[in-house]
């Protein structure tokens, strides 16, 4: 039997930065998608999606033409076939997990990485694919293949695991401390609006940067400092001012968080404050946070959360809070009392 287990991810700092080539800090948590497979006597991948009570059947020699939007099973196969992979043996496959769907914890990217690991594993000729390469394959199959606006963060984080600082311009990553205190995830019960939020945020941010570069060709976001916000804001049209602010200041917050998480003993109060600063930009400049979720996070802070933020592209989904072990139950209760549908402690994997 083939047994593959892939984690969910949380972006802690740098939301809406990866598609600008700016760094992010993200980590994997102990929520998983699991795939179990055994060979069968057919020419098909017979897939049971246990949580959805659905079945998918794909011929191993499927032509993979006109793949429907969001059909990641076939898009993964298509991307691998283009690179010389082959599929010859059918399998009975069961997929299940405890990652909330459409909630900001990257259930779709976890599924893509899990499926790709399976497809690589079943090759008759052993092919070495490192975690970074797998992350890039997942990005191709999920975002590039369907021309979606997201960056590489989700796929690269899930494929590599741990707490990572990812340079999204080069694809290089480095391990960071996992000492973020006690982490609580809360599910808002509000459906995420991934593509709409991402598309608007990406276009506005890119237009803001391009407006500056049109007049200052040597300007690079990767070399930007907080002083550049005021220095160049007069070059940015009013329509894109919020996203110009977000681009510069979120980058600064991410670099400060990287510095703190590079210490042997990070200060979780500093990390919590940086998380709150990041969330203020997400809700005020990028405007990706519903008022109901803002109230939930404010309640969590009053109960003892040092920091709290929305997870993922926004419009709904989950939130994460940094707290202490002593106060975690109060934070969980505060989320639930303010109408979150679920809240629980998670650990970085």
């Amino acid at each position: 039997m083939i047994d593959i287990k892939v984690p969910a991810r949380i972006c802690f700092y740098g939301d809406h930065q990866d598609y600008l080539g700016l760094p992010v800090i993200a980590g994997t948590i102990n929520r998983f998608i699991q795939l179990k497979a055994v060979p069968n006597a057919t020419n098909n991948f017979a897939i049971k999606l246990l949580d959805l009570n659905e079945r998918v059947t794909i011929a191993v020699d499927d032509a993979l033409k006109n793949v429907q939007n969001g059909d990641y099973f076939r898009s993964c196969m298509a991307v691998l076939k283009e690179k010389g992979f082959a599929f010859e043996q059918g399998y009975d496959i069961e997929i299940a997990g405890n990652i909330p769907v459409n909630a900001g914890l990257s259930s779709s990217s976890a599924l893509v990485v899990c499926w790709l690991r399976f497809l690589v594993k079943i090759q008759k000729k052993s092919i070495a694919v490192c975690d970074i390469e797998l992350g890039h394959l997942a990005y191709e199959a999920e975002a590039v293949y369907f021309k979606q606006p997201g960056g590489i963060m989700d796929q690269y984080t899930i494929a590599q695991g741990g707490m990572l600082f990812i340079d999204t311009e080069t694809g290089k990553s480095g391990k960071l401390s996992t000492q973020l205190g006690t982490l609580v995830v809360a599910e808002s019960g509000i459906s995420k609006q991934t593509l709409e939020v991402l598309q608007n945020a990406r276009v506005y941010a890119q237009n803001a940067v391009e407006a500056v570069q049109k007049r200052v060709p040597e300007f690079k976001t990767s070399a930007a400092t907080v002083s550049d916000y005021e220095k160049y804001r007069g070059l940015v049209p009013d329509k894109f001012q919020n996203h110009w602010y977000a681009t510069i200041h979120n980058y600064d917050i991410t670099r400060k968080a990287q510095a703190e998480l590079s210490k042997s003993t990070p200060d979780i109060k500093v990390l919590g404050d940086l998380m709150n600063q990041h969330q203020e930009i997400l809700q005020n400049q990028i405007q990706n946070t519903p008022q109901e979720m803002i109230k939930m996070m404010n309640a969590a802070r009053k109960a003892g959360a040092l920091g709290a933020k929305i997870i993922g592209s926004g419009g709904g989904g989950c939130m994460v809070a940094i707290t202490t072990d002593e106060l975690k139950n109060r934070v969980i209760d505060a989320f639930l009392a303010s109408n979150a549908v679920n809240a629980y402690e998670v650990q970085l994997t």
Side-chain angles (χ1 to χ4, degrees):
M1 174 187 286
I2 295 173
D3 192 342
I4 297 171
K5 198 174 183 180
V6 170
R9 77 92 188 92
I10 290 176
C11 178
F12 292 95
Y13 307 95
D15 287 276
H16 294 279
Q17 298 274 279
D18 55 344
Y19 47 70
L20 297 173
L22 293 175
V24 297
I25 295 174
T28 49
I29 60 169
N30 59 336
R31 289 267 160 160
F32 301 95
I33 281 182
Q34 189 167 18
L35 179 152
K36 296 181 179 181
V38 294
N40 62 32
T42 75
N43 197 39
N44 298 320
F45 294 134
I47 306 166
K48 292 181 182 179
L49 302 171
L50 299 182
D51 300 320
L52 302 176
N53 194 28
E54 294 179 1
R55 294 172 181 259
V56 177
T57 301
I58 306 173
V60 297
D61 58 354
D62 191 305
L64 304 173
K65 303 293 185 182
N66 302 315
V67 176
Q68 296 297 306
N69 188 43
D71 185 348
Y72 300 127
F73 294 116
R74 287 181 171 85
S75 67
C76 287
M77 293 171 65
V79 166
L80 288 181
K81 284 187 73 173
E82 287 179 359
K83 300 181 186 303
F85 288 72
F87 313 109
E88 302 173 30
Q89 168 69 56
Y91 281 82
D92 291 328
I93 302 159
E94 292 185 345
I95 298 175
N98 60 357
I99 304 175
V101 176
N102 193 34
L105 293 178
S106 282
S107 58
S108 62
S109 296
L111 175 63
V112 169
V113 171
C114 189
W115 181 242
L116 281 170
R117 287 200 182 280
F118 165 72
L119 294 176
V120 171
K121 180 79 172 176
I122 65 173
Q123 296 300 300
K124 286 191 174 181
K125 182 180 179 181
S126 179
I127 301 176
V129 177
C130 73
D131 288 339
I132 292 178
E133 291 172 331
L134 193 80
H136 191 75
L137 289 169
Y139 171 67
E140 287 188 45
E142 184 176 2
V144 177
Y145 191 90
F146 294 109
K147 296 180 174 61
Q148 293 180 357
I152 69 172
M153 173 183 62
D154 296 355
Q155 299 86 2
Y156 274 53
T157 304
I158 292 168
Q160 294 178 74
M163 187 71 171
L164 301 173
F165 177 86
I166 302 176
D167 182 335
T168 62
E169 191 170 32
T170 65
K172 295 181 179 179
S173 60
K175 294 286 187 179
L176 295 175
S177 173
T178 58
Q179 297 181 49
L180 272 77
T182 299
L183 300 175
V184 170
V185 163
E187 300 173 22
S188 69
I190 302 170
S191 295
K192 226 160 43 77
Q193 300 171 27
T194 302
L195 295 183
E196 180 181 350
V197 173
L198 269 177
Q199 184 67 39
N200 291 340
R202 180 171 190 155
V203 169
Y204 279 37
Q206 288 175 335
N207 285 343
V209 172
E210 288 169 3
V212 174
Q213 291 175 333
K214 186 176 181 179
R215 298 282 296 276
V216 188
E218 66 273 19
F219 174 78
K220 292 184 178 181
T221 51
S222 58
T225 63
V226 170
S227 63
D228 288 329
Y229 167 67
E230 289 291 348
K231 184 177 181 180
Y232 298 124
R233 66 178 297 189
L235 304 179
V236 179
D238 290 345
K239 185 176 182 179
F240 309 129
Q241 281 289 335
N242 279 337
H243 289 77
W244 172 243
Y245 182 95
T247 297
I248 299 300
H249 286 83
N250 275 340
Y251 181 36
D252 181 63
I253 290 168
T254 302
R255 296 307 301 234
K256 288 176 178 176
Q258 179 200 18
E260 192 63 37
L261 287 164
S262 296
K263 297 177 180 178
S264 56
T265 307
D267 187 331
I268 62 171
K269 290 183 179 179
V270 170
L271 294 170
D273 182 58
L274 289 170
M275 179 175 283
N276 287 332
Q277 291 179 43
H278 186 26
Q279 174 57 36
E280 286 183 10
I281 294 173
L282 293 175
Q283 66 192 45
N284 295 329
Q285 275 74 38
I286 294 179
Q287 300 178 16
N288 76 338
T289 312
Q291 284 298 317
E292 299 93 326
M293 295 179 71
I294 293 174
K295 292 177 182 178
M296 293 176 195
M297 287 183 280
N298 286 338
R301 294 186 189 100
K302 289 180 182 178
L306 299 171
K309 66 176 287 291
I310 194 170
I311 303 172
S313 57
C318 289
M319 301 152 283
V320 64
I322 295 175
T323 185
T324 63
D325 195 57
E326 294 76 16
L327 294 175
K328 67 182 179 185
N329 289 330
R330 286 180 56 182
V331 171
I332 289 171
D333 290 343
F335 272 127
L336 296 173
S338 55
N339 297 322
V341 298
N342 203 0
Y344 40 83
E345 181 183 0
V346 297
Q347 284 86 37
L348 289 163
T349 60

